[in-house]
Amino acid sequence: SGVYVGSHRPNANRCYTCCNGFSAMKWQHHCRACGQAFCANCLGDQKLPMRPIADLWKEEREVYWSHTAASVVPVECQKDAPVEVWPSDPQQACPHCVDRVLCGERRALMKQVAGLEAKVEGDNKEIVDELETRTTELARAKNDLELAKLELAEIKRAMEGTCEPVKPMSKIAGQIA
């Protein structure tokens, strides 16, 4: 009907969830997050602190109110409205919005954790690959060292067999010992 019923949404004819019409006996209530009209049963009694989460619905509110004269647009629904215009105490929110906040936050955190786990897994793979490369290089170097020792031993044996033993030098008179 377009009758303004508060800073959250204009008047509606029926409940957003069950579609039952509003009357003198069945009042409309509004979710302070999304602004949809609900009957008391469908809205429930859950409340959310709106200030920290107001930006979740910012674009929806701005689009919804964009066709309305600026003089009647609620301050929190105006373009680029600061979060300070929202009440600091928790406000009534529909089950969908509560789920959006709680599950959405949980999903965002789970996504962040999954990203960190993937990064750690990737880092671990890089470390394992680097460790395997270094282990292979170390084994090659150890093998090369063993071969060099064997070559050196062969050269020593060959020199011992072909060379005459060196005689110790005799002392020269007046030499200090």
Side-chain angles (χ1 to χ4, degrees), residues 33 45 75 83 132 137:
D45 60 356
V75 66
V83 293
E132 287 174 356
E137 289 173 359

Side-chain angles (χ1 to χ4, degrees), residues 2-78:
V3 177
Y4 181 66
V5 291
S7 63
H8 36 280
R9 195 74 157 196
N11 195 16
N13 295 327
R14 56 187 76 255
C15 175
Y16 182 73
T17 302
C18 69
C19 296
N20 288 330
F22 296 121
S23 65
M25 298 301 290
K26 190 169 192 134
W27 291 7
Q28 65 178 319
H29 304 273
H30 291 81
C31 172
R32 296 311 194 260
C34 68
Q36 294 293 341
F38 295 90
C39 64
N41 289 340
C42 292
L43 181 60
D45 60 356
Q46 293 184 309
K47 294 184 175 188
L48 292 173
M50 299 311 290
R51 226 177 241 188
I53 60 170
D55 285 344
L56 288 174
W57 292 271
K58 178 181 183 337
E59 187 176 318
E60 293 170 34
R61 281 192 309 273
E62 289 177 0
V63 168
Y64 182 84
W65 289 95
S66 64
H67 66 280
T68 308
S71 59
V72 295
V73 174
V75 66
E76 66 269 16
C77 298
Q78 292 174 357

Side-chain angles (χ1 to χ4, degrees), residues 41 104 128 156 172:
N41 289 340
V128 167
K156 273 186 175 178
I172 300 175

Side-chain angles (χ1 to χ4, degrees), residues 117-133:
E117 287 175 343
K119 183 180 181 327
V120 166
E121 185 67 30
D123 290 350
N124 284 348
K125 182 164 178 22
E126 286 180 24
I127 290 170
V128 167
D129 291 347
E130 180 70 20
L131 185 59
E132 287 174 356
T133 301

